[in-house]
């Protein structure tokens, strides 16, 4: 039994481990479909967090107010109409220069444009940029084969914006060459240039941004990383990058005077997961581009504006339909991509990053799930196992939600969930097949010993055959008189045929009363009533079965007489008393039987019974009397009388026994 259980346990662990290996393997085989489904499920975490907590923490410059110190100056469709009106007043004028001058006068910390001025050489814009000394412009890089270095020759201005950073762990950084950039004169006046390369995932949703793009051995930073590093007083010599782990800003100095390191989680390509702080208009301060220009008409408005945006980090962007700079995010399907800059900048300044569980952490999660499911499978029954599996799935979902909402940890939910579901299916299917196989084996083993009605009850609960216990049962012994002498002169085939026909008829009678055939002993039978299916009238059933057995034997005697076959004369002994009943076999052979002195008494009664007669013990007789008192119809046709006292081998005192008459009147 121990070896069988060991094999069972090994198969269970193989099924569970196989389920988890398969759940992860299908992501390798079908990456496009399943990866999209996985990241789409992860997107729901953003929405769940937003419903639970609302917008994320926003950078307020270290001051105790609720206003964000990251401000979007935006030009929308209505703003373009207003600009047309202003041009009628001021003539053809480069309003971007005016906005820079106004923002500079409002004492903002930095001004970043999300627009590339590739051909514009307006002197007023160059002068405004030069005077402000806090304006940043973008450039766009064209990704190239990561196995190659760019050999592109770039001008001095672009080259001065490259960072040489210490790499502590190599990876697969995106390689790029300059594709589109601010014109050199304007770039020379700017405080810095950074790339604005945003690429959506395969499903068209923007989730990551490369903090660095490699060019000729150095790196172009993203525009917002450039702004943040200048704002915090961190130069490239204070930076380290470990691809696949983090980007480190050492000794960042905050406005309140504190200094600390900032560690930004990144992947092998140097990409950071964008931590969207909330919906577009719910988080950061938004001011219309043309509202800023109102200062041109009323200079007193500069003070009002200064109160709103002093020391703020400004991002100027076109959010009109003309700009067509919109995309889908985990939170919104229609989102101005310029606002991604604000989210990245906010994450860096507030150190609110989204990290992912590494392969080791994911392995540990899977291992814990495997162990829980395995022990649940081998220690509990199917219904409890199913409940535990469902609970494990719920706990996993709750864990993933909790980690993201309260620790900003992004954990893949789909692969382990599939592993749990597959484990549930595999193990329940295996258990079902194993149970059916055991039922078939059990049925084949005991169909000759139990009545069909009893077998059906046993198959519903096979466990009732696995133990042994002491019970009060009725035991019946039968034996054919003179069979040994008769068989000594007969051929084996005739002996075999005679016993088969005889036992088949006797078994039908026993099964009619739901008796259990313990064993066939030569030409004899050991039968008991009241187990494994319990009933109170087991003594009455035993007596009725004995009467019918004798009647059937007499029928066979008449039929076989004309055929020259065995003339059956059978004795039966019946006793009721406490016995030990159960599986007394070894691990390799099941033997469901009864043991005890009361069993021996039944056999002695059979040996002392008259030919074609039935002897019962006093305990059986008393049970018949009890049944008669309850309902006379129960014992109708049963006639039992005192037979006398007989000596029983192994007992000191004589035993009082009774004989049950067998006649055609017995019903």
């Amino acid at each position: 039994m121990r070896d069988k259980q060991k094999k069972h346990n090994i198969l269970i662990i193989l099924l569970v481990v196989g389920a988890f290996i398969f759940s992860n393997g299908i992501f390798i085989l079908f990456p496009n479909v399943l990866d999209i489904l996985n990241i789409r499920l992860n997107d729901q975490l953003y929405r769940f967090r937003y419903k639970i907590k609302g917008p994320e923490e926003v950078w307020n410059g270290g001051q105790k107010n609720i206003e964000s110190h990251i401000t979007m100056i935006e030009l929308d469709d209505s703003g373009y109409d207003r600009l047309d009106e202003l041009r009628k007043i001021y003539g053809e004028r480069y309003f971007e220069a005016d906005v820079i001058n106004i923002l500079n006068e409002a004492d903002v910390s930095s001004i970043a444009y999300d627009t590339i001025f590739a051909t514009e050489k307006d002197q007023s814009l160059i002068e405004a940029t030069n005077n402000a000394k806090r304006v940043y412009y973008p450039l766009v890089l064209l990704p190239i084969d990561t196995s190659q270095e760019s050999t592109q020759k770039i001008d001095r201005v672009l080259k001065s914006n490259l960072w040489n950073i210490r790499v502590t762990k190599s990876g697969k950084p995106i390689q790029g060459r300059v594709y589109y950039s601010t014109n050199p004169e304007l770039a020379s006046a700017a405080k810095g240039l950074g790339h604005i390369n945003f690429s959506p995932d395969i499903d068209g949703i923007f989730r990551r941004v490369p903090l660095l793009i490699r060019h000729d051995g150095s790196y172009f930073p993203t525009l917002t990383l450039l702004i943040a590093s200048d704002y915090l007083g961190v130069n490239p010599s204070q930076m380290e990058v470990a691809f696949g782990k983090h980007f480190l800003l050492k000794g960042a100095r905050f406005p309140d005077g504190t200094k600390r390191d900032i560690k930004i989680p990144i992947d092998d390509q140097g990409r950071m997961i964008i931590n969207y702080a909330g919906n577009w208009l719910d988080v950061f301060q938004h001011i219309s581009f043309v509202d800023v220009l109102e200062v041109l008409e009323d200079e007193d408005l500069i003070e009002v504006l200064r109160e709103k945006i002093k020391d703020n980090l400004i991002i100027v962007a076109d959010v009109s339909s003309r700009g067509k700079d919109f995309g889908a995010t985990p939170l919104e399907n229609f989102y101005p991509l310029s606002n991604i800059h604000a989210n990245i900048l906010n994450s860096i300044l507030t150190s609110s990053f989204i990290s992912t569980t590494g392969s080791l952490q994911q392995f540990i999660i899977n291992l814990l799930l495997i162990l829980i499911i395995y022990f649940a499978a081998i220690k509990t029954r199917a219904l409890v196992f199913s409940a535990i599996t469902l609970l494990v799935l719920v706990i996993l979902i709750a864990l993933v939600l909790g980690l993201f909402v309260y620790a900003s940890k992004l954990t893949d939910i789909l692969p382990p969930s599939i592993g749990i579901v597959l484990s549930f299916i595999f193990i329940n299917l295996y258990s079902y097949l194993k149970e059916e196989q055991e039922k078939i084996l059990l049925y084949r083993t005991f169909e000759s010993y139990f009545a069909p009605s009893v077998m059906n009850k046993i198959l519903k609960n096979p466990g009732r055959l696995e133990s042994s216990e002491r019970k009060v049962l009725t035991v019946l012994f039968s034996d054919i008189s003179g069979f040994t002498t008769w068989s000594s002169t007969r051929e084996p085939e005739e002996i075999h045929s005679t016993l088969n026909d005889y036992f088949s008829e006797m078994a039908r009678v026993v099964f009619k009363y739901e008796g259990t055939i313990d064993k066939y002993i030569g030409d004899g039978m050991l039968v008991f009533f009241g187990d494994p299916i319990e009933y109170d009238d087991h003594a009455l059933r035993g007596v009725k079965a004995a009467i019918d057995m004798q009647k059937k034997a007499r029928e066979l005697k008449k039929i076989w007489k004309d055929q020259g076959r065995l003339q059956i004369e059978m004795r039966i002994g019946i006793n009721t008393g406490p016995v030990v009943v159960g599986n007394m076999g070894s691990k390799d052979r099941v033997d469901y039987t009864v043991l005890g002195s009361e069993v021996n008494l039944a056999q002695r009664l059979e040996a002392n019974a008259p030919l074609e007669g039935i002897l019962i013990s006093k305990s059986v007789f008393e049970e018949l009397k009890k049944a008669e008192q309850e309902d006379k119809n129960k014992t109708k046709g049963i006639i039992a009388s005192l037979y006398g006292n007989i000596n029983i081998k192994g007992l000191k005192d004589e035993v009082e026994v009774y004989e049950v008459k067998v006649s055609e009147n017995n019903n």
Side-chain angles (χ1 to χ4, degrees):
M1 195 70 180
R2 187 174 298 173
D3 291 341
K4 185 178 179 182
Q5 185 64 40
K6 185 177 180 181
K7 290 179 181 178
H8 169 74
N9 293 349
I10 291 173
L11 187 54
I12 289 292
I13 192 66
L14 289 176
L15 287 172
V16 179
V17 171
F20 276 80
I21 291 175
F22 180 78
S23 68
N24 286 275
I26 56 177
F27 279 80
I28 299 173
L29 295 175
F30 308 102
N32 291 339
V33 177
L34 293 174
D35 281 346
I36 289 175
L37 181 58
N38 191 47
I39 57 181
R40 283 292 179 91
L41 284 174
N42 287 342
D43 287 347
Q44 300 307 310
L45 298 175
Y46 287 89
R47 301 185 181 188
F48 179 78
R49 182 181 69 177
Y50 193 58
K51 288 181 180 179
I52 296 296
K53 295 176 61 180
E56 291 293 284
E57 175 191 2
V58 293
W59 176 247
N60 59 13
Q63 302 175 20
K64 294 182 179 180
N65 58 50
I66 60 173
E67 290 291 337
S68 167
H69 265 48
I70 299 174
T71 302
M72 301 296 302
I73 305 294
E74 296 170 324
L75 181 60
D76 56 16
D77 288 327
S78 62
Y80 271 104
D81 295 335
R82 289 280 307 280
L83 284 179
D84 291 338
E85 296 175 6
L86 289 174
R87 286 191 180 94
K88 293 176 182 178
I89 300 173
Y90 296 103
E92 287 300 323
R93 185 177 181 134
Y94 219 76
F95 291 111
E96 281 79 4
D98 292 318
V99 167
I100 291 174
N101 288 328
I102 292 169
L103 294 175
N104 186 43
E105 192 174 349
D107 296 327
V108 299
S109 290
S110 64
I111 305 165
Y113 265 86
D114 186 48
T115 304
I116 295 179
F117 301 98
T119 58
E120 291 85 345
K121 296 184 179 180
D122 185 86
Q123 196 59 38
S124 64
L125 180 60
I126 295 172
E127 290 178 1
T129 300
N130 189 54
N131 291 335
K133 300 189 185 328
R134 65 189 75 185
V135 184
Y136 297 84
Y137 289 109
L139 58 85
V140 174
L141 298 165
L142 183 66
I144 61 173
D145 189 344
T146 55
S147 64
Q148 301 174 3
E149 281 284 355
S150 174
T151 57
Q152 179 188 28
K153 300 295 183 182
I154 58 176
D155 61 38
R156 176 188 55 81
V157 176
L158 289 176
K159 199 168 186 178
S160 66
N161 283 277
L162 283 167
W163 283 359
N164 292 308
I165 305 172
R166 180 169 175 258
V167 178
T168 59
K169 184 178 182 294
S170 59
K172 300 176 182 178
I174 298 171
Q175 307 274 6
R177 65 182 181 84
V178 179
Y179 175 69
Y180 205 47
S181 178
T182 303
N183 79 74
E185 290 184 63
L186 188 58
S188 296
K191 186 168 185 182
L193 303 177
H195 77 77
I196 53 171
N197 283 55
F198 297 155
S199 298
D201 287 335
I202 54 177
D203 60 344
I205 296 179
F206 290 83
R207 299 183 180 88
R208 298 175 183 263
V209 60
L211 292 181
L212 302 169
I213 294 182
R214 188 176 174 86
H215 178 90
D216 196 21
S218 300
Y219 298 91
F220 278 114
T222 185
L223 183 65
T224 40
L225 177 60
L226 174 61
I227 297 167
S229 61
D230 285 349
Y231 181 72
L232 298 171
V234 181
N235 58 58
S237 65
Q238 297 171 261
M239 301 176 189
E240 288 182 3
V241 59
F243 288 100
K245 295 181 67 177
H246 60 260
F247 181 85
L248 182 63
L249 297 170
K250 294 182 180 179
R253 296 190 299 274
F254 288 83
D256 61 2
T258 60
K259 289 180 66 176
R260 64 174 181 270
D261 295 345
I262 299 175
K263 189 178 288 186
I264 307 171
I266 58 173
D267 62 15
D268 272 353
Q269 294 181 281
R271 297 180 303 172
M272 163 190 170
I273 298 175
I274 304 167
N275 187 12
Y276 289 98
N279 290 334
W280 173 20
L281 297 175
D282 292 351
V283 182
F284 305 108
Q285 187 175 197
H286 297 266
I287 299 175
S288 171
F289 186 88
V290 292
D291 286 347
V292 175
L293 291 175
E294 288 181 359
V295 175
L296 296 175
E297 300 178 289
D298 185 354
E299 293 184 359
D300 291 338
L301 292 177
I302 189 65
E303 293 302 325
V304 177
L305 186 63
R306 183 182 286 113
E307 287 183 9
K308 293 181 68 174
I309 63 174
K310 186 178 186 303
D311 297 326
N312 281 17
L313 299 136
I314 308 297
I315 298 170
V316 185
D318 185 344
V319 295
S320 69
S321 58
R322 301 183 189 184
K324 300 179 181 179
D325 196 24
F326 294 88
T329 72
L331 283 175
E332 297 180 272
N333 293 326
F334 192 74
Y335 190 86
L337 298 183
S338 56
N339 277 247
I340 291 178
H341 299 302
N343 285 282
I344 299 169
L345 192 55
N346 186 66
S347 290
I348 296 173
L349 297 178
T350 59
S351 293
S352 55
F353 306 110
I354 293 177
S355 60
T356 59
T357 51
S359 55
L360 178 60
Q361 293 170 315
Q362 200 71 46
F363 173 78
I364 292 173
I365 291 173
N366 286 334
L367 182 61
L368 288 175
L369 292 173
I370 288 171
L371 291 175
I372 292 171
I373 294 173
Y374 165 70
F375 282 110
I378 65 172
K379 297 292 185 182
T380 62
R381 295 192 176 274
L383 186 61
V384 177
F385 167 74
S386 299
I388 291 174
T389 305
L390 178 61
L391 180 61
V392 169
L393 183 59
V394 170
I395 291 173
L396 174 65
I397 294 171
L399 175 66
V400 171
L401 291 174
L403 285 174
F404 187 78
V405 172
Y406 299 106
S408 295
K409 178 75 75 172
L410 196 58
T411 305
D412 285 341
I413 191 173
L414 191 57
S417 296
I418 293 176
I420 293 172
V421 173
L422 289 178
S423 296
F424 172 80
I425 294 172
F426 290 170
I427 291 175
N428 276 299
L429 181 60
Y430 162 72
S431 298
Y432 173 77
L433 294 175
K434 181 173 178 287
E435 184 177 336
E436 288 301 307
Q437 185 182 32
E438 289 176 347
K439 284 182 179 180
I440 293 172
L441 180 62
L442 192 66
Y443 191 86
R444 289 177 178 174
T445 303
F446 291 108
E447 63 180 336
S448 300
Y449 301 94
F450 296 117
S453 58
V454 174
M455 277 302 304
N456 291 333
K457 294 176 182 178
I458 290 173
L459 291 176
K460 291 179 181 179
N461 183 17
R464 66 176 73 221
L465 297 181
E466 294 176 359
S467 60
S468 299
E469 57 183 316
R470 186 176 293 277
K471 285 183 177 180
V472 174
L473 302 179
T474 295
V475 181
L476 179 153
F477 257 101
S478 72
D479 188 66
I480 301 174
S481 176
F483 182 81
T484 303
T485 303
W486 175 85
S487 62
S488 65
T489 61
R490 304 291 171 168
E491 294 296 325
E493 292 78 7
E494 184 180 357
I495 298 171
H496 180 265
S497 174
T498 300
L499 284 178
N500 276 355
D501 292 344
Y502 165 73
F503 283 134
S504 294
E505 294 297 334
M506 295 302 107
R508 288 191 186 96
V509 174
V510 171
F511 292 162
K512 175 183 175 182
Y513 295 98
E514 295 189 321
T516 298
I517 298 176
D518 185 316
K519 59 176 66 72
Y520 299 99
I521 311 169
D523 58 308
M525 289 176 64
L526 170 58
V527 179
F528 55 88
F529 298 83
D531 186 85
I533 305 302
E534 296 181 3
Y535 36 78
D536 295 333
D537 61 342
H538 48 80
L540 180 61
R541 292 188 188 217
V543 171
K544 286 183 175 182
I547 293 171
D548 285 358
M549 288 170 69
Q550 287 289 17
K551 291 168 73 173
K552 177 58 68 174
R554 293 176 187 183
E555 288 179 19
L556 290 175
K557 182 179 180 180
K558 290 179 182 179
I559 296 171
W560 289 359
K561 182 178 181 181
D562 296 335
Q563 299 174 358
R565 298 178 69 182
L566 174 67
Q567 294 298 285
I568 298 175
E569 292 180 324
M570 182 172 62
R571 295 184 177 91
I572 296 176
I574 306 173
N575 180 39
T576 296
V579 297
V580 176
V581 60
N583 178 22
M584 308 297 177
S586 66
K587 65 178 183 179
D588 299 318
R589 184 177 183 276
V590 175
D591 187 10
Y592 199 77
T593 187
V594 287
L595 299 174
S597 59
E598 302 295 335
V599 178
N600 296 332
L601 177 57
Q603 188 174 20
R604 300 303 179 191
L605 290 174
E606 175 270 316
N608 287 275
L611 285 176
E612 299 185 318
I614 303 169
L615 282 188
I616 62 175
S617 65
K618 185 178 180 180
S619 59
V620 176
F621 181 78
E622 289 174 349
E623 289 295 322
L624 292 177
K625 287 298 182 182
K626 189 187 299 182
E628 184 179 18
Q629 291 173 1
E630 293 175 358
D631 185 353
K632 289 186 177 181
N633 290 324
K634 288 183 178 180
T635 58
K636 184 180 179 181
I638 299 176
I639 302 172
S641 59
L642 181 65
Y643 184 76
N645 295 333
I646 61 174
N647 291 312
I648 298 296
K649 185 179 178 179
L651 297 178
K652 294 180 180 179
D653 300 326
E654 292 184 335
V655 176
E656 184 179 301
V657 297
Y658 296 79
E659 182 181 7
V660 176
K661 300 296 182 181
V662 180
S663 67
E664 296 300 323
N665 295 326
N666 294 121
N667 294 321

